[in-house]
Amino acid sequence: PYYFQDTHGPILKKSLGRSARNIQEDYIVHKIHSGNSTKRPKYDFYELGKDFTTKKHDGVDLVNGKYIRLHNPLKHFSILEPANTCKNKTAHTVKETATKAKKCIVATNAGFFNVHTHECLGNVISNSQLVQSTTNRNANFGITKKGNYYVGYMTPETPKANQDEFVNLVSGVIWLIRDGKNYVKESEKLEFEGTQASGSINYFVNLRSSRIGLGHDAEGRLVIVQFDGDGNHDKGLNLHELAELMIGMGVINAINLDGGGSTTVVHHNYVANAVSDGADSCPHLPSDLLFREMIRCERKVTTITCIHND
Ligand code: NDG
């Protein structure tokens, strides 16, 4: 049972020892959209709040964001380590990592990280290379060689045991949508809260902030939905709202990626969203700068999502 069963691939039966936290495998497998045979990725990129009308909340229009839908993620989607690799524990802006990779058409921040040590947190498989695995239970999003999405919980042994199956794998915090239903309430009870540093898991779920959800729709297209928020935790979305909006956009399985000041969408090496981190994240600012509080900068993060040509 510790081996991930890819329904369209071989069933791996070998059993490994006890899992560190006794995590039960609990996941959804869904076939990815096979896409077309062209070299270029087929994708849609919308401005949320402009091309899309979002519902009102408390009488206030929801903030802007981005909606990215990719038809053929097996070929055109990767989780990338920060420019200096997770091992080196150095954070980089999404732009730096995307630029180094040279090939990202669209990139966003991805996994959570330790804000003090810049350690990548969670499971990471990047282009079939196992970077690291975790003993903590948090929601995962993976793509397998056989052309399936994997969304859900895995044992600590699963990434290692199935490194030949996964092409890309990343962990978030909170399984937003499971089989078309809002799964926030349930996953709040299940997930390890120490992966995020905002506060208790309940505070984290309910605070309004910039957010990014990663998932897929019924046709098997990969969907990334991002909303802008601010650092005071009163603009943006809580995770219940994020899940509901994504369900409205046709997403049937999704996890919540690192949000808040980490939230960055890069399009062709330019920042495309309104980042929320203040002057402390801005390098080379004069210390006596007037109106310092007006400034916003990209935060240095760790792993990124990357949509690319080949
Ligand atoms: C963001 C996260 C925080 C996390 C940090 C580093 C939100 C709202 O990035 O929880 O610890 O990963 O997702 N905030 O600030």
Side-chain angles (χ1 to χ4, degrees):
Y2 295 118
Y3 275 77
F4 160 47
Q5 181 179 325
D6 187 327
T7 52
H8 296 270
I11 296 165
L12 302 167
K13 294 189 219 79
K14 222 173 112 190
S15 164
L16 290 170
R18 218 160 51 85
S19 68
R21 281 171 167 265
N22 205 16
I23 302 171
Q24 302 280 313
E25 294 275 329
D26 190 10
Y27 57 86
I28 302 276
V29 174
H30 190 280
K31 192 134 195 66
I32 68 167
H33 193 277
S34 53
N36 48 30
S37 56
T38 63
K39 273 210 119 190
R40 285 177 173 278
K42 188 166 178 336
Y43 73 103
D44 307 305
F45 191 101
Y46 297 110
E47 292 274 346
L48 290 168
K50 289 182 186 157
D51 303 26
F52 256 72
T53 312
T54 52
K55 66 173 183 183
K56 284 178 186 272
H57 186 92
D58 295 343
V60 180
D61 271 328
L62 290 171
V63 288
N64 288 337
K66 302 280 182 279
Y67 173 97
I68 304 134
R69 185 172 65 186
L70 175 67
H71 292 236
N72 32 21
L74 191 52
K75 254 203 228 154
H76 298 294
F77 175 83
S78 302
I79 297 296
L80 299 179
E81 293 182 73
N84 248 349
T85 76
C86 281
K87 217 174 167 183
N88 285 343
K89 297 185 186 167
T90 339
H92 290 266
T93 61
V94 173
K95 205 164 47 181
E96 281 167 354
T97 300
T99 306
K100 193 189 169 218
K102 283 195 187 80
K103 55 181 187 177
C104 307
I105 301 165
V106 180
T108 73
N109 65 296
F112 287 74
F113 59 93
N114 182 313
V115 286
H116 307 293
T117 64
H118 292 157
E119 228 173 298
C120 300
L121 299 177
N123 296 311
V124 182
I125 293 179
S126 173
N127 296 328
S128 301
Q129 296 299 309
L130 176 68
V131 175
Q132 61 179 51
S133 59
T134 180
T135 55
N136 300 319
R137 176 163 56 189
N138 289 115
N140 296 282
F141 178 93
I143 288 178
T144 70
K145 218 174 248 171
K146 295 286 184 328
N148 288 310
Y149 293 109
Y150 171 117
V151 183
Y153 301 125
M154 52 176 63
T155 69
E157 295 84 6
T158 306
K160 196 152 194 233
N162 297 285
Q163 50 185 315
D164 295 336
E165 289 292 319
F166 285 113
V167 187
N168 288 287
L169 176 68
V170 67
S171 307
V173 177
I174 295 297
W175 188 346
L176 290 171
I177 304 165
R178 177 180 186 154
D179 243 345
K181 295 191 186 68
N182 186 329
Y183 199 58
V184 175
K185 247 192 207 132
E186 286 84 348
S187 69
E188 184 185 324
K189 290 182 219 135
L190 299 170
E191 296 210 17
F192 177 61
E193 68 181 356
T195 305
Q196 55 77 37
S198 299
S200 71
I201 191 84
N202 182 259
Y203 179 79
F204 174 76
V205 163
N206 289 296
L207 70 88
R208 289 237 170 80
S209 191
S210 310
R211 303 285 192 175
I212 301 193
L214 170 63
H216 68 83
D217 65 12
E219 278 102 295
R221 295 170 295 199
L222 181 140
V223 177
I224 301 173
V225 179
Q226 174 271 328
F227 281 98
D228 290 332
D230 67 11
N232 320 326
H233 296 171
D234 62 359
K235 279 199 204 111
L237 298 180
N238 67 41
L239 292 184
H240 299 287
E241 294 165 333
L242 179 64
E244 286 305 318
L245 281 172
M246 289 178 74
I247 289 168
M249 292 167 187
V251 176
I252 61 168
N253 290 294
I255 68 166
N256 173 56
L257 293 180
D258 190 14
S262 304
T263 308
T264 313
V265 178
V266 168
H267 195 201
H268 288 283
N269 292 341
Y270 288 94
V271 177
N273 70 309
V275 293
S276 65
D277 252 13
D280 289 349
S281 289
C282 308
H284 319 304
L285 269 189
S287 54
D288 59 348
L289 184 80
L290 286 176
F291 307 116
R292 206 182 145 81
E293 64 283 359
M294 288 176 64
I295 289 176
R296 296 288 177 271
C297 274
E298 286 177 87
R299 180 184 289 180
K300 292 183 174 190
V301 299
T302 59
T303 52
I304 70 165
T305 71
C306 171
I307 292 174
H308 47 79
N309 263 322
D310 51 353

